[in-house]
Amino acid sequence: MLDKILPRPDGQIEERLFEAMRYSTMGEGKRLRPFLVMASSGLFKVSRTSALRVAAAIEMVHTYSLIHDDLPAMDNDDLRRGKPSCHKQFDEATAILAGDALLTQAFEVLADEETHPDPRVCTQLVRAMARAAGPYGMVGGQMIDLAGEGKSLSETQVTHLHLLKTGRMFAFACEAGAILGKAPTSMRMGLRAYAHDMGLAFQIKDDLLDVEASSDDLGKTAGKDAEQEKSTYVKLLGLEQAREQAQMLCDQAIHHLDAFDGEAEPLRAVARFVIDRKR
């Protein structure tokens, strides 16, 4: 679906922009957020086309955030998904515009009637993703992350940071299926609780990998947290307690899915994956 939606280089002036968009989006990646959209959509018998379009939109937003996060003014990373970051492969201006283009096109995809014939559902999707990606979500968390470099944040502050920076987009990915399926609020709340705990477990594992894995394993530069003096769960809790905390959150996330019985097994598998992964 991403390949179908993304613009293709066609010899026009903006060809370099289209190349940068595809370069960053179509490369290797875990595709975890799109998978969550597909898994949550499966709980409510959502059409595959609708689910795939929302999955593509959230991957576009995620990729935009990675492009901008790698820029010299942000995390200043030359490596992403095992290859040169967008600004290294092209240039900083092109990378900024590629990120901007992916973000805005993602909302175009959500608003299109091909995503859902009910305009109220499309409006809910647009509003929910904007909330998750904006100042009360991912972008707000990124600002806290930057402001916290060189400072000692408390565990509460670090948790708040990651609930915004990572957790809100995970929550949207999980709720998207319920929005598409017009599910009751109680089911949406259960998926939101699952995403809350799974997202924190994901972040703790990220902190562990930054310490324990190599750049080749990660596909990005290892050891960046210590280099930039960031407050992490590993720094706050130590390696062993961080692992225990991640396992506890994984177990809690799985428990939140009890109401869905066996249909939620793909989501349970994701919770286990996030703490067992090697990159």
Side-chain angles (χ1 to χ4, degrees), residues 136-137 140-141 144 154-166 168 200 233:
Y136 300 104
I144 297 170
S154 68
E155 185 176 349
T156 299
Q157 290 172 316
V158 170
T159 297
H160 177 62
L161 184 169
H162 292 302
L163 284 176
L164 268 59
K165 184 178 178 181
T166 307
R168 293 282 164 85
L200 287 178
Y233 285 106

Side-chain angles (χ1 to χ4, degrees), residues 69 87 151 211:
D69 202 42
H87 71 277
K151 299 177 182 177
V211 173

Side-chain angles (χ1 to χ4, degrees), residues 213-273:
S214 68
S215 296
D216 287 341
D217 290 335
L218 295 177
K220 60 182 181 180
T221 307
K224 293 284 287 188
D225 291 340
E227 179 185 322
Q228 295 173 340
E229 299 183 78
K230 292 189 176 185
S231 295
T232 68
Y233 285 106
V234 170
K235 186 176 180 180
L236 288 165
L237 304 176
L239 288 169
E240 194 54 44
Q241 192 174 343
R243 288 193 192 92
E244 292 173 2
Q245 184 81 350
Q247 183 62 61
M248 181 195 72
L249 288 163
C250 170
D251 294 342
Q252 285 182 181
I254 290 172
H255 177 67
H256 290 308
L257 299 172
D258 286 351
F260 296 102
D261 299 324
E263 294 178 336
E265 191 53 39
L267 291 173
R268 295 186 184 96
V270 168
R272 299 183 191 101
F273 163 77

Side-chain angles (χ1 to χ4, degrees), residues 16-26 63-72 76-102 219:
R16 185 174 176 83
L17 171 67
F18 297 163
E19 288 177 354
M21 292 169 69
R22 297 183 72 86
Y23 172 83
S24 295
T25 309
M26 298 303 296
T63 303
Y64 126 77
S65 75
L66 300 181
I67 292 172
H68 284 196
D69 202 42
D70 289 337
L71 290 167
N76 192 24
D77 207 320
D78 294 346
L79 191 66
R80 173 65 66 178
R81 291 174 168 172
K83 61 184 184 180
S85 301
C86 188
H87 71 277
K88 298 301 291 185
Q89 182 70 16
F90 296 90
D91 55 74
E92 288 183 37
T94 300
I96 291 169
L97 292 174
D100 293 344
L102 286 167

